[in-house]
Amino acid sequence: MGLLDKLFSKEVKDKLDSLAKKVNEALDDIKENIDKKEEEAKEAASSVTETVQETAEEFPEPVIPQLKVKRKEVFSLFEEAVGSEIEDRGSAAYFEDLIRKNLPEITVEKNVPVETLGQETPVKRADIDLMLKKDGKPMLAIFLVPKNLYRLTKYINSMNICEDAGIPAIRFMKEFSNEPAYVTGRIKALIA
């Protein structure tokens, strides 16, 4: 140690000790700030978790509507079906024409508001494209829907309202071929 003492004066030692003390104090401050920030982060995370839980309770998981009646339709093509001159096979006019020509005992009402069935109606609902009646009595509700949107809540809700009122409800996809034999056969099977 004698050699070191000679190399370093007391002044240098004091400065080194002072520097070491400042470094230690700075490290202590940094550690204290880290601990403080960790605590603040935990409190913030806890607050966010509570807010999310409160919001989840306020807005429950949405209920995805399901058809109350899932039909396993059994029908035969009506090979004798008379076609229609109407080119748009997804239109209400086309379906009405087929029904008029092939099922003369059936009358058709177009764009029937689902509210007229006397059931409680939800906000999301669709009008019935075609209501088929026999002797004035509703026999079948037909919804003409886009093929990619047939599961929309408004269609499911409206079909369920029809079923609750005792009226079978079915869908035809607007973009499908909707051949006369298919359309007529399917309808005949449900109104028989």
Side-chain angles (χ1 to χ4, degrees):
M1 264 284 258
L3 181 60
L4 283 179
D5 287 339
K6 289 180 185 173
L7 292 174
F8 294 110
S9 65
K10 178 162 176 29
E11 194 177 307
V12 172
K13 271 196 218 175
D14 289 344
K15 285 192 180 200
L16 285 174
D17 286 343
S18 173
L19 182 61
K21 183 178 178 185
K22 286 180 182 177
V23 168
N24 283 333
E25 287 173 0
L27 288 173
D28 287 343
D29 285 347
I30 290 170
K31 185 178 182 231
E32 188 177 306
N33 281 336
I34 289 172
D35 291 343
K36 186 177 174 184
K37 294 294 181 190
E38 281 181 351
E39 190 60 38
E40 288 174 2
K42 285 179 185 175
E43 288 175 15
S46 175
S47 175
V48 168
T49 301
E50 287 176 22
T51 303
V52 167
Q53 288 172 340
E54 289 171 5
T55 304
E57 291 167 6
E58 204 173 308
F59 299 100
E61 198 67 31
V63 177
I64 299 171
Q66 301 291 318
L67 285 176
K68 291 180 180 180
V69 177
K70 295 181 182 171
R71 299 192 180 285
K72 299 281 186 208
E73 294 181 39
V74 179
F75 65 92
S76 300
L77 296 177
F78 183 59
E79 298 296 343
E80 302 83 38
V82 177
S84 173
E85 295 78 35
I86 298 172
E87 290 183 27
D88 182 359
R89 290 185 170 194
S91 69
Y94 171 78
F95 279 81
E96 182 180 28
D97 191 40
L98 284 182
I99 294 163
R100 186 179 47 77
K101 289 178 177 177
N102 294 289
L103 303 165
E105 72 280 8
I106 301 297
T107 57
V108 179
E109 284 183 39
K110 292 192 291 188
N111 300 320
V112 177
V114 76
E115 298 87 24
T116 61
L117 299 181
Q119 304 290 318
E120 183 178 330
T121 54
V123 173
K124 293 184 177 182
R125 61 187 179 274
D127 286 346
I128 302 163
D129 291 295
L130 301 163
M131 177 68 81
L132 280 54
K133 295 182 175 184
K134 185 174 184 177
D135 299 325
K137 180 183 177 215
M139 301 296 290
L140 181 66
I142 297 176
F143 293 87
L144 304 175
V145 300
K147 69 178 178 180
N148 295 331
L149 304 176
Y150 73 97
R151 290 186 183 168
L152 284 181
T153 299
K154 68 180 186 176
Y155 296 121
I156 302 299
N157 286 344
S158 295
M159 290 178 73
N160 285 339
I161 290 168
C162 292
E163 295 288 352
D164 288 346
I167 304 165
I170 60 172
R171 297 172 284 213
F172 285 95
M173 307 304 159
K174 290 181 176 185
E175 298 84 358
F176 288 6
S177 64
N178 295 318
E179 295 291 332
Y182 168 76
V183 171
T184 309
R186 195 169 165 207
I187 292 171
K188 283 178 66 104
L190 288 166
I191 62 172

